[in-house]
Amino acid sequence: MSKMTLKELAEYLELSVSTVSRALNDSYEISEETKERVRLAAKKFGYRPNLAAKGLKTGKSNSIGLIIPYLSSAFQSQILEGAQQTALAHNVNLIFMQSRENENIEKECFQALIQQNIDGIIIAPSANSSVSYLKQLNKQVPLVLVDRIDFELDAPKIGVDSEFGAYQATRHLLENGRKEILVLAGKNLGVNSTRILGYKKALQDFKLTFHPEHVIQINHGQESDELMNNLKLMLDRKLKQFNQPIGLLGITDTLTVNSLGVLHQLGKKVPQDVSVIGFANLLFAESLNPPLSCIVQPAIEMGRTAVEELMKLVINKYTPKFSAKQIILKPDIILRNSSFNVV
């Protein structure tokens, strides 16, 4: 069966071609009833617009970009999943790239997308991303920041209430008798400040002193083997300072998950010796040994929201002043055996 054309779809619906076209583009001129009728028929017959032809007519590429540090990250791949779903719903192409936490690679990703006449870009900035460079790009093409939003930039920012998540996780560890809590943080990551603030507030509520040396800063851009070796050395050194069971809060999914393997290598039992909880969006967290307590961020919703906000800028003929907006979503706390004290 050949692909249905816009004209054939219009004939089937007994509507004009222009009406069907405007309905598919969510035009305010078309009633919601007609839009829904057109969408259902398009879905029934598998109709997809010719994006190349549409681009020639509108002067747009009908493509948007997404730059994330690592596709291998469960959290960031879920952002991609949400973004892809919503891009398809808007009949635009989504081109995604990895910065690998490297500022130079990130700039190359930007240039590659701009050369394709991209309509807009969503980015989770790298740890060392240049704010001045982002500002310069934001004058050329609409940007939306996702996850890492602590940048002075007039652009929509889609983030998570990280302070709330870290507070709840720390409070849980304290309520389970862990008065000494280490924090694993990625070096120079923008999310550190709000998550450490939540950690500090929980300590304060329990009338405990914050010790800066309890925050372990780790270079997040290392190769996997190097990261594991350095994490092992740092944790081994710190754990020798404690004679009683402690808590461990991971600020990123990579550090949270790797800590379980490192603690096993060091001969530490979880949760008997070290109770572990942290930011992690792993679908298999329940299957780890022990099952991992997690602060789960609404990553798919973040990806969807980022595309929706970007499309508003594209459709409304983007200007930087129009774009300043911040949306903060709440994380979920899922408690499992890795953080409960075993008596």
Side-chain angles (χ1 to χ4, degrees):
M1 178 178 167
S2 61
K3 182 179 177 181
M4 176 174 274
T5 65
L6 180 64
K7 182 179 179 181
E8 289 169 338
L9 182 62
E11 288 175 350
Y12 169 79
L13 291 165
E14 297 182 345
L15 296 170
S16 69
V17 171
S18 61
T19 296
V20 173
S21 177
R22 289 199 296 271
L24 289 171
N25 285 287
D26 200 25
S27 170
Y28 69 90
E29 300 173 298
I30 307 300
S31 70
E32 289 301 321
E33 181 181 355
T34 300
K35 288 179 187 177
E36 183 63 16
R37 184 175 163 225
V38 171
R39 290 188 196 113
L40 289 174
K43 184 176 181 181
K44 176 180 178 181
F45 294 106
Y47 172 77
R48 299 284 296 171
N50 185 326
L51 297 180
K54 182 180 177 183
L56 289 173
K57 182 178 180 181
T58 63
K60 296 189 174 82
S61 67
N62 293 301
S63 296
I64 59 174
L66 172 66
I67 303 174
I68 54 178
Y70 288 106
L71 184 58
S72 58
S73 162
F75 168 62
Q76 290 164 20
S77 67
Q78 288 166 26
I79 290 177
L80 170 59
E81 173 65 23
Q84 178 72 8
Q85 291 175 8
T86 310
L88 286 171
H90 280 276
N91 295 317
V92 298
N93 293 318
L94 178 68
I95 303 170
F96 63 90
M97 309 185 82
Q98 298 183 95
S99 68
R100 303 192 66 80
E101 292 287 10
N102 184 301
E103 180 186 356
N104 293 326
I105 295 176
E106 184 175 88
K107 289 180 178 179
E108 291 174 3
C109 291
F110 270 123
Q111 291 307 312
L113 290 172
I114 288 172
Q115 286 173 10
Q116 297 182 60
N117 193 33
I118 209 82
D119 294 331
I121 300 173
I122 300 164
I123 180 172
S126 64
N128 299 308
S129 188
S130 167
V131 178
S132 60
Y133 187 73
L134 291 176
K135 287 181 177 180
Q136 178 185 340
L137 282 169
N138 198 33
K139 295 175 182 178
Q140 302 176 45
V141 62
L143 299 182
V144 172
L145 300 189
V146 65
D147 180 34
R148 302 171 180 183
I149 61 174
D150 296 326
F151 291 82
E152 293 183 8
L153 193 70
D154 287 332
K157 300 172 183 179
I158 318 301
V160 172
D161 192 342
S162 293
E163 181 183 324
F164 170 81
Y167 176 89
Q168 294 296 331
T170 306
R171 185 178 182 88
H172 165 68
L173 293 174
L174 293 169
E175 288 174 344
N176 280 275
R178 301 315 198 219
K179 302 304 180 186
E180 301 285 355
I181 301 173
L182 296 177
V183 177
L184 295 179
K187 193 173 183 179
N188 297 325
L189 289 185
V191 296
N192 286 352
S193 58
T194 53
R195 294 179 183 181
I196 292 174
L197 181 59
Y199 164 73
K200 287 180 178 179
K201 286 186 175 180
L203 293 177
Q204 185 177 22
D205 285 353
F206 278 72
K207 296 180 170 43
L208 295 172
T209 302
F210 167 67
H211 298 285
E213 64 272 17
H214 282 10
V215 178
I216 303 173
Q217 299 272 355
I218 300 172
N219 183 355
H220 210 255
Q222 302 174 84
E223 293 298 328
S224 180
D225 290 345
E226 187 178 7
L227 176 68
M228 286 289 285
N229 288 334
N230 288 330
L231 182 57
K232 183 177 179 180
L233 288 171
M234 292 180 178
L235 275 180
D236 187 37
R237 189 182 308 124
K238 293 296 295 184
L239 291 173
K240 288 176 179 175
Q241 300 173 15
F242 303 100
N243 296 319
Q244 74 279 6
I246 68 165
L248 184 66
L249 170 64
I251 278 186
T252 72
D253 51 0
T254 300
L255 295 175
T256 301
V257 175
N258 284 337
S259 68
L260 288 182
V262 168
L263 290 171
H264 176 74
Q265 292 176 23
L266 294 174
K268 299 295 182 181
K269 294 181 179 180
V270 177
Q272 293 92 328
D273 299 323
V274 182
S275 294
V276 178
I277 187 170
F279 287 79
N281 273 49
L282 296 175
L283 298 177
F284 55 83
E286 177 69 43
S287 302
L288 296 173
N289 185 23
L292 180 63
S293 291
C294 299
I295 306 156
V296 179
Q297 303 178 82
I300 290 178
E301 185 180 351
M302 291 173 73
R304 289 173 178 159
T305 305
V307 172
E308 292 290 356
E309 292 304 312
L310 182 59
M311 294 310 300
K312 289 177 186 176
L313 297 183
V314 172
I315 293 169
N316 288 285
K317 297 183 179 179
Y318 156 80
T319 60
K321 289 182 180 179
F322 176 78
S323 68
K325 182 177 184 180
Q326 184 164 288
I327 298 173
I328 303 298
L329 307 174
K330 285 284 186 184
D332 291 323
I333 312 295
I334 300 177
L335 301 177
R336 301 188 178 99
N337 294 354
S338 71
S339 62
F340 282 97
N341 188 20
V342 177
V343 180

